[in-house]
Amino acid sequence: MNGRIVIVGGGIAGVQAASSLAGSWEVSLVLGEDFLPYYRMRIEEIIAGMAPESLYIHPAGWYEEKGIRLCHSKASSIDRDKHSVKLEDGSVLPYDKLILATGSNAFVFPLEGNRRTVFSLRSAADAIAIRKALDGAGSFTVIGGGLLGLELAHSIAEGFSIIVNVIESAEHILPRQLDKDSALLLQKKLEEDGVHIYAGAKAVSADDHTLRLSDGTDVPSDVLCFSAGVRAECSLASLAGLSTDKGIIVDAHLRTSDPDIFAIGDAAELDGRTFGLAMHAREMGSKAASIIGGDTSPYVPSEPSAMLKVAGIDVASFGRITDESDVIIDSDASRCTIFTENGIVRGAVLINSKALMMKVKNAIGKPFSESFPDYL
Ligand SMILES: Cc1cc2nc3c(=O)[nH]c(=O)nc-3n(C[C@H](O)[C@H](O)[C@H](O)COP(=O)(O)OP(=O)(O)OC[C@H]3O[C@@H](n4cnc5c(N)ncnc54)[C@H](O)[C@@H]3O)c2cc1C
């Protein structure tokens, strides 16, 4: 064995790193939650009635077979001089290399008024709490019309006979992924399926049953859930004196300001940017393991992409939305918009246009005229 590695956080990034390092290193994985590592992206299924255990990435025996030691307690501090991590249960884990994979927390902003309870959906425990609150409720409102908020709203409209609302302060839903026309196509379908969308107004105050918007509208909201973005979990790193800003600052080799400590996944900030996507968490988990194993090449994040199915509609978005665009498919149910910059393809949004997916992905970074000559 090469030495001892402690990984704090059993999300996608931490588990990926542990799995890649096991066998060559003595690996301890510190789990801050009551469950074994699970597919966080599927926790909505817990609201629908699924047991959290059925979302486990691996059964307990898998970690044992791989020789990964699981520690069921939160890490409370790092002693960088002694190279050790202290856990809330009092145990101390010595390390040669430490990987921080502490993920992110939901961003919840304050509302005026006397509302007592608001929710967010980030963990299996959050999903269990939301399911309990929905019992007997007449309305559910999610603040935030991004991917997560829309998926959540649609699945609650499908599974529960209650009023479901989405509040989006931008002019249209999915402002980071879609152009306005594509968003309106999706909004129409969501509304047909019972999701009420309030775009262009901010949530300002709330009591226990109603949310008031900046335009004066009162929205029935027995259960109120924030889905307004995430913030990297940096508290352990800051306490240890590591450089942090939007996240735990890393260099291109995923090293923090302490060369024996790495940060990966949602918690990491690289070149001023945090990620918040499972694909980058997984990539960074593998890359940190290979860098620790001697790989000297830098981590180059893949172009972000998002794919979801809402209300039976396939929505895919790649790369960046720029000011120049060409719509290459436009019908009642489908739309494909290609975004360019000086004629070079930089991004795309596809609605019900799955057949074009590979062609569009391969076109990113190439001239539009070369990839789509038929549409000039
Ligand atoms: C409902 C939902 C749907 C999503 N859908 C998508 C999607 O469709 N596509 C996509 O790309 N991404 C999606 N995401 C985002 C994706 O899940 C995250 O990008 C990914 O989970 C990040 O992985 P991570 O390992 O960095 O952090 P996390 O998965 O957040 O895991 C971090 C872990 O570290 C633990 N931790 C924190 N501090 C400590 C400590 N001090 N001690 C011990 N443990 C600690 C936390 O409790 C947590 O278990 C979704 C997220 C949610 C919540």
Side-chain angles (χ1 to χ4, degrees), residues 108-120 129-130 133-134 137-143 162-163 165 167 203-213 218-226:
V108 176
F109 57 84
L111 292 170
E112 289 166 23
N114 56 6
R115 184 165 190 114
R116 284 169 299 178
T117 313
V118 296
F119 295 88
S120 57
I130 292 174
L134 284 171
S139 54
F140 173 84
T141 298
V142 58
I143 298 178
I162 59 173
I163 297 167
N165 312 298
I167 315 300
V204 287
S205 67
D207 63 24
D208 282 341
H209 299 286
T210 311
L211 175 71
R212 175 155 296 176
L213 306 185
D218 282 333
V219 181
S221 308
D222 292 342
V223 180
L224 182 60
C225 183
F226 275 80

Side-chain angles (χ1 to χ4, degrees), residues 8-9 11-13 32-33 40-41 75 101-103 122 148 265-266 276-278 281:
V8 179
I12 302 164
E33 298 186 55
R40 193 170 305 281
M41 286 157 44
T102 46
R122 187 67 214 166
L148 206 147
D266 279 14
L277 285 176

Side-chain angles (χ1 to χ4, degrees), residues 5-23:
I5 297 213
V6 173
I7 302 171
V8 179
I12 302 164
V15 171
Q16 184 63 45
S19 152
S20 309
L21 291 159

Side-chain angles (χ1 to χ4, degrees), residues 8-14 30-33 38 40-44 73-76 101-104 121-123 147-148 151 233 236 264-267 275-279 281 305 307:
V8 179
I12 302 164
V30 182
L31 306 176
E33 298 186 55
Y38 55 85
R40 193 170 305 281
M41 286 157 44
R42 290 177 51 197
I43 52 178
E44 265 167 41
S73 178
K74 276 191 107 166
S76 51
T102 46
S104 51
L121 181 62
R122 187 67 214 166
S123 65
L147 284 174
L148 206 147
E151 282 195 86
E233 170 50 53
L236 188 63
I264 57 175
D266 279 14
F275 294 83
L277 285 176
M279 61 184 286
S305 65
M307 266 172 274

